[in-house]
Amino acid sequence: MKMTEFFMRRPVLFWSLMAAILIAGVLAFVQMPKLEDPAVSAKQAMVVVAWPGASAHEMELKVAQLMEDELRALPNVKKVKTECRNGSAMFTVEFQMTVLEKELEQHFDLLRRKVNDATSRLPQGCYSPVVVDDMMDVYGIFYALTADGYDYPEMYKYAKYLRRELLDVKGVKRINIIGNRDEVINIILSKEQITRNGVVPTQIMSALQAAGKTVDAGKYRSGDEQITLYVDSAVESEEDIRDLQLRTLDGKRIRLGDIARVERTFAEPQRNGFFVNGKSALAICIAMEESAIVPDVGKAVDGRLAEAMKHVPVGFESEKIFFQPDKVDEAISSFMWNLVESVAIVILVLIFTMGFRSGLIIGFGLVLTVAVSFPVLLVCGTTLQRISLGAFIVAMGMLVDNAVVIMDGILIDKKRGLGPKTYLYRIGRNTAMPLLGATVIAASTFLCVYLSPDTAGEYAGDLFLVLCVSLLASWVLALVQVPVCAKSWLSKREKTTGSDSGAVMNSPVHRFIRRAIGFLIGYKKDDYRRSVLPAGSLYLRHDESKEPLLSRLRLQTVRRRVFLSFGYRCRCRA
């Protein structure tokens, strides 16, 4: 209670601190990252091994078995899933749910070491395995790009332009373009033509590889200057492939287009596709940073996309398929309305039960509790999402408990005629530690979730943090803010009529409660008999044969205190 006395003597400092708490709460609420769901890491990684020319059966026998033995030797591996295809094999490694996010990078490093150790034992011709461990991105913004009269290459060209523009938006982490059809150039050989000209297929393959390779053409020195030479005969289209010159076994040169049919087409069968209302489209998927304020990023992305669409040809249109910022805005707005409704309900209920000014004091404390919680949670790294906002809503009913106890004690002591130096401090001194114990017990409800060493703890851990911070803040404010506000807002002299009449000890509610308690006590199973007395009085009879005089007097003292606390006029006789 020393802190309460300190602020009682310095009201200017107290109100300045309350204003600072409100301002800090608003600023922290604006700056806190806002997401739809808590960020949960995907405890998976993928290893891809390519072996051109190998069948799926060869990949299984010579590559898959070797890699599976190495991958299963990793710690905390739950399962390894293998998919073998012609020319490639994909291994999906899934770790145990008990692997925490901070330990996941270490497991990925061990995975890379195992894969590198196994590379030297792979069959000749296999490419170096590729480890893909970045599988945790959640694409919260999903656009569809359609274009009437344009083919896939042109659509993909402008989709890449839009991706470059949107990557400059602050808070955007990654953008993927999905739905594009892969183009291929088919070279269809004629047996008669290659036999007649003495050309073997391996010559064509060697010529294609050499034509597409970047070579160093050397340098030319002219005096003191050195000029770098470049070869500009890179293959860029199917026409360049048709004009490719081949040397036959007898030394002649022939054109590839004369002995083979070269055509550009799409890969068959089609492996992926994306359609909107029956039209071919490309999906632009945007993943945001974990610390991003999703609504602000969504507005920035919308603005940049609208600006970039002005520079693409007529016929291109963008359409929202999924927009996570709208979901987050809806959740934040719902929380703010719940907060306003909670404060209003608390004030209205307490006005009818404890008086108008008492309701305002407790409602003001509820707002301060929520405001002071935001800066603390921001420092702890908590984000605003459905778990933390739900925890605030769950805690709303418990945040006023401490303030109600302190306020009720102040009102009762004031009704008894005690002075301000007594009724402002007495209830706090008597109930501070019991209230702290009850607060700690309530905050510990979700401690098991916070300490859970798996994905459930990562996802729902904010339940404990929000409840712990807000409930402890409510305990401190109940001991400091309620007495100071009571001194400033409550009347100096007690009134028997008015808005605070509900707190008078002789109100109908109190009389009904006293009669109900007296009735229940009078009919309990013991050795005491209740006698019917005038209203507001109670006699206690005692059997002297069963208790000594000392215990009887002690009992009378305890009973007198109990009944006086309910407003009884108590007379005890043997």
Side-chain angles (χ1 to χ4, degrees):
M1 300 305 296
K2 293 182 179 179
M3 186 181 300
T4 306
E5 296 175 358
F6 175 83
F7 285 107
M8 284 286 191
R9 293 191 297 267
R10 298 168 178 83
V12 176
L13 180 61
F14 170 78
W15 293 112
S16 300
L17 179 60
M18 296 300 103
I21 289 176
L22 293 176
I23 295 174
V26 173
L27 294 178
F29 177 79
V30 173
Q31 296 178 3
M32 286 184 71
K34 299 175 179 63
L35 307 174
E36 184 179 8
D37 290 290
V40 179
S41 58
K43 298 173 175 57
Q44 292 182 357
M46 181 178 293
V47 181
V48 181
V49 181
W51 187 10
S55 64
H57 186 61
E58 290 177 326
M59 294 296 301
E60 181 181 1
L61 294 179
K62 299 181 180 181
V63 176
Q65 293 182 1
L66 173 63
M67 293 300 299
E68 285 179 357
D69 292 340
E70 294 293 331
L71 297 177
R72 291 186 183 279
L74 292 169
N76 299 321
V77 172
K78 182 179 180 180
K79 64 179 179 180
V80 177
K81 180 181 177 181
T82 305
E83 182 179 353
C84 295
R85 300 179 180 178
N86 292 332
S88 65
M90 291 183 294
F91 306 89
T92 302
V93 183
E94 183 177 346
F95 293 96
Q96 297 285 347
M97 301 295 287
T98 55
V99 178
L100 299 180
E101 185 177 1
K102 60 184 179 181
E103 303 173 354
L104 201 56
E105 290 297 331
Q106 182 178 359
H107 284 72
F108 288 159
D109 291 339
L110 293 175
L111 173 63
R112 290 190 181 90
R113 296 175 189 175
K114 285 288 184 181
V115 171
N116 290 335
D117 293 341
T119 301
S120 59
R121 289 178 287 171
L122 292 176
Q124 187 175 2
C126 281
Y127 293 163
S128 297
V130 178
V131 179
V132 182
D133 58 6
D134 194 1
M135 303 173 64
M136 297 180 288
D137 292 334
V138 177
Y139 297 95
I141 300 178
F142 194 178
Y143 290 101
L145 181 66
T146 58
D148 291 334
Y150 295 89
D151 55 9
Y152 276 101
E154 292 174 316
M155 292 173 60
Y156 189 68
K157 173 184 175 182
Y158 288 103
K160 291 191 295 183
Y161 163 73
L162 296 177
R163 179 172 62 183
R164 290 198 306 270
E165 293 294 322
L166 296 179
L167 280 174
D168 293 334
V169 177
K170 184 179 180 181
V172 174
K173 180 180 180 181
R174 176 176 298 174
I175 300 178
N176 277 351
I177 300 175
I178 301 174
N180 184 43
R181 294 192 64 180
D182 297 330
E183 284 190 296
V184 295
I185 296 177
N186 293 328
I187 301 176
I188 304 174
L189 301 176
S190 172
K191 294 182 180 180
E192 294 79 5
Q193 290 291 343
I194 61 176
T195 303
R196 184 183 305 149
N197 293 277
V199 179
V200 294
T202 54
Q203 289 181 273
I204 301 176
M205 296 172 59
S206 299
L208 289 172
Q209 292 176 355
K213 185 182 298 184
T214 302
V215 296
D216 184 7
K219 299 178 179 60
Y220 175 77
R221 181 175 294 277
S222 176
D224 296 337
E225 296 183 358
Q226 184 173 328
I227 301 174
T228 304
L229 303 179
Y230 297 96
V231 178
D232 58 354
S233 59
V235 177
E236 297 180 353
S237 64
E238 61 270 22
E239 290 297 332
D240 295 336
I241 295 179
R242 291 191 186 99
D243 295 335
L244 188 62
Q245 299 293 322
L246 302 177
R247 184 184 295 274
T248 62
L249 297 177
D250 56 0
K252 295 180 181 180
R253 287 185 174 273
I254 60 174
R255 181 172 168 270
L256 179 59
D258 296 335
I259 63 173
R261 188 170 78 252
V262 181
E263 58 183 18
R264 180 190 291 267
T265 183
F266 294 107
E268 295 291 343
Q270 183 177 354
R271 294 185 178 179
N272 52 28
F274 184 71
F275 301 90
V276 176
N277 297 326
K279 298 180 180 179
S280 300
L282 295 181
I284 301 177
C285 306
I286 302 176
M288 291 165 283
E289 299 283 351
E290 295 182 1
S291 59
I293 302 177
V294 173
D296 295 344
V297 176
K299 295 177 182 178
V301 169
D302 257 351
R304 181 63 65 87
L305 181 62
E307 185 68 24
M309 289 298 294
K310 299 178 181 178
H311 302 283
V312 300
V314 177
F316 280 85
E317 295 181 357
S318 62
E319 180 181 351
K320 289 181 182 178
I321 303 299
F322 177 75
F323 203 66
Q324 190 183 43
D326 290 343
K327 303 292 185 181
V328 177
D329 270 335
E330 182 180 352
I332 299 298
S333 300
S334 176
F335 166 73
M336 295 306 298
W337 278 111
N338 286 331
L339 176 60
V340 173
E341 291 174 359
S342 300
V343 175
I345 292 172
V346 167
I347 293 176
L348 289 176
V349 171
L350 294 177
I351 283 175
F352 289 103
T353 56
M354 302 182 67
F356 178 75
R357 297 180 182 180
S358 302
L360 289 181
I361 293 173
I362 298 176
F364 180 57
L366 177 61
V367 175
L368 288 175
T369 301
V370 176
V372 78
S373 300
F374 283 130
V376 179
L377 294 174
L378 180 61
V379 174
C380 295
T382 304
T383 59
L384 285 181
Q385 17 73 18
R386 67 177 65 197
I387 297 299
S388 57
L389 295 179
F392 268 115
I393 295 173
V394 170
M396 284 296 176
M398 297 184 286
L399 294 181
V400 296
D401 292 345
N402 295 325
V404 168
V405 172
I406 299 298
M407 193 70 227
D408 184 67
I410 291 176
L411 293 177
I412 290 177
D413 289 344
K414 188 179 179 184
K415 296 296 180 182
R416 291 174 176 172
L418 301 178
K421 294 184 179 180
T422 302
Y423 70 73
L424 291 176
Y425 303 102
R426 179 176 174 273
I427 184 65
R429 292 192 184 97
N430 294 337
T431 62
M433 297 311 296
L435 288 178
L436 177 61
T439 301
V440 172
I441 292 174
S444 302
T445 305
F446 296 97
L447 180 60
C448 56
V449 178
Y450 180 75
L451 298 178
S452 178
D454 54 14
T455 305
E458 293 180 353
Y459 183 81
D462 288 342
L463 280 172
F464 169 74
L465 288 177
V466 173
L467 285 172
C468 181
V469 171
S470 59
L471 289 178
L472 290 178
S474 71
W475 177 75
V476 175
L477 289 173
L479 296 177
V480 178
Q481 174 260 335
V482 172
V484 176
C485 290
K487 178 183 178 181
S488 302
W489 295 359
L490 295 181
S491 59
K492 301 298 182 182
R493 295 182 179 180
E494 184 56 38
K495 297 180 181 179
T496 58
T497 61
S499 60
D500 290 335
S501 60
V504 180
M505 299 302 295
N506 290 325
S507 65
V509 176
H510 285 76
R511 288 198 298 268
F512 173 76
I513 294 176
R514 287 199 301 269
R515 290 174 181 175
I517 294 176
F519 176 80
L520 296 176
I521 292 178
Y523 283 92
K524 70 177 182 177
K525 186 177 181 181
D526 56 10
D527 293 332
Y528 299 100
R529 298 188 302 270
R530 186 176 70 90
S531 60
V532 181
L533 300 173
S537 62
L538 181 66
Y539 287 91
L540 292 178
R541 296 181 181 273
H542 184 265
D543 191 351
E544 295 183 358
S545 62
K546 294 188 176 182
E547 292 189 11
L549 178 62
L550 181 61
S551 300
R552 182 185 63 187
L553 295 176
R554 188 175 301 164
L555 174 66
Q556 292 175 357
T557 303
V558 173
R559 290 299 178 95
R560 184 181 293 111
R561 290 178 180 176
V562 171
F563 288 108
L564 284 177
S565 64
F566 288 102
Y568 283 105
R569 297 193 305 274
C570 186
R571 289 177 292 174
C572 297
R573 63 187 182 185

